[in-house]
Amino acid sequence: SEKAKLEGGIALSPSLFSFSLAYNTDKVKKEDVPQTWESLADPKWRGKIMLVDPRSSRTYRAAFVVVDRLHPGLLSRIAKNDFRLVESGTPAAQQIAAGTSSIAFTLYPAHVNRLMRKGAPINFAAIGGPEIARNAWWGATNGAHPNAGRLFMAFFFSDEGLRIYCKRAPGTKTTLDPTGKRTGCDTLSPDAEFLPNTPPSKKAEAAVIRGFGLK
């Protein structure tokens, strides 16, 4: 897939991470989990959500720049739900598992998987409308054993390699097999938006911070 190539062709992306939310399974029924960015502004979640501080990560800000472009005014509507800030995805998932809140966003499935394996009351869901994904790029470097590196890269980009990776990391998706039928990865939404290879402008990032009422 051309979408899996970095501009310039120096790297490929075998895996994707969709921006997701975590929810406490004791507090939120699966059928009630917000499915879209718009649904996070529903007043029923007032006082029940945690926002991973977008100031902590340029990647998170980049995702919200896309949301702000597609849904003008949505960030301020979400802010009316009196979210509680948390510094990063890992403590957000830990607090959701502990039951201190019902929903936390934005984070990745990887933040939740370890807690799920331990039996904690937590799960994740990709946020749609549209689903926003980031690529995980892999490329050749000046290693001591270039031939071994090439073999590893070739294996990781194969169906077998992706099957193993996806089995170990639920929630992983890939542009190399967006349907997941060959590799067992999760299905990528047909309307998925990919973060650009270049970061957003400072102006666009500032608009995200203002939209959430932060400084």
Side-chain angles (χ1 to χ4, degrees):
S1 171
E2 290 300 314
K3 290 183 179 179
K5 293 182 179 180
L6 188 65
E7 293 177 6
I10 62 172
L12 290 174
S13 174
S15 56
L16 299 169
F17 303 95
S18 294
F19 292 92
S20 303
L21 59 81
Y23 64 96
N24 184 287
T25 55
D26 290 337
K27 292 177 175 289
V28 184
K29 296 179 181 179
K30 189 171 184 178
E31 59 267 26
D32 294 332
V33 174
Q35 299 295 310
T36 65
W37 298 100
E38 285 276 0
S39 60
L40 291 167
D42 191 319
K44 73 179 181 180
W45 301 117
R46 187 179 181 92
K48 300 178 180 179
I49 60 177
M50 292 192 299
L51 172 69
V52 176
D53 195 335
R55 296 170 298 187
S56 69
S57 166
R58 196 163 200 186
T59 305
Y60 289 157
R61 292 197 296 276
F64 284 123
V65 166
V66 176
V67 173
D68 193 40
R69 171 173 57 85
L70 297 174
H71 303 285
L74 177 60
L75 303 186
S76 61
R77 287 166 47 210
I78 292 175
K80 291 180 180 178
N81 275 338
D82 295 333
F83 58 74
R84 180 160 56 90
L85 275 178
V86 63
E87 60 269 27
S88 65
T90 297
Q94 291 170 340
Q95 291 183 51
I96 289 296
T100 62
S101 194
S102 297
I103 292 171
F105 70 98
T106 302
L107 40 67
Y108 303 120
H111 290 122
V112 178
N113 286 333
R114 180 176 59 85
L115 296 168
M116 290 177 64
R117 286 195 291 268
K118 290 184 175 181
I122 189 173
N123 207 334
F124 65 86
I127 308 172
E131 180 178 346
I132 301 174
R134 61 165 292 192
N135 298 71
W137 300 104
W138 288 69
T141 61
N142 296 321
H145 305 284
N147 289 333
R150 291 188 188 96
L151 285 173
F152 173 74
M153 296 286 284
F155 173 72
F156 195 36
F157 296 140
S158 70
D159 282 3
E160 183 181 1
L162 283 173
R163 273 195 297 271
I164 294 172
Y165 187 80
C166 292
K167 184 177 180 179
R168 292 291 301 167
T172 300
K173 306 184 182 188
T174 172
T175 53
L176 300 178
D177 177 24
T179 67
K181 292 179 180 178
R182 298 195 320 264
T183 59
C185 294
D186 283 10
T187 303
L188 182 67
S189 173
D191 69 346
E193 289 264 347
F194 297 90
L195 292 189
N197 296 332
T198 55
S201 68
K202 296 287 187 180
K203 182 179 179 180
E205 289 185 338
V208 165
I209 302 304
R210 287 196 307 273
F212 280 124
L214 304 172
K215 295 181 180 180

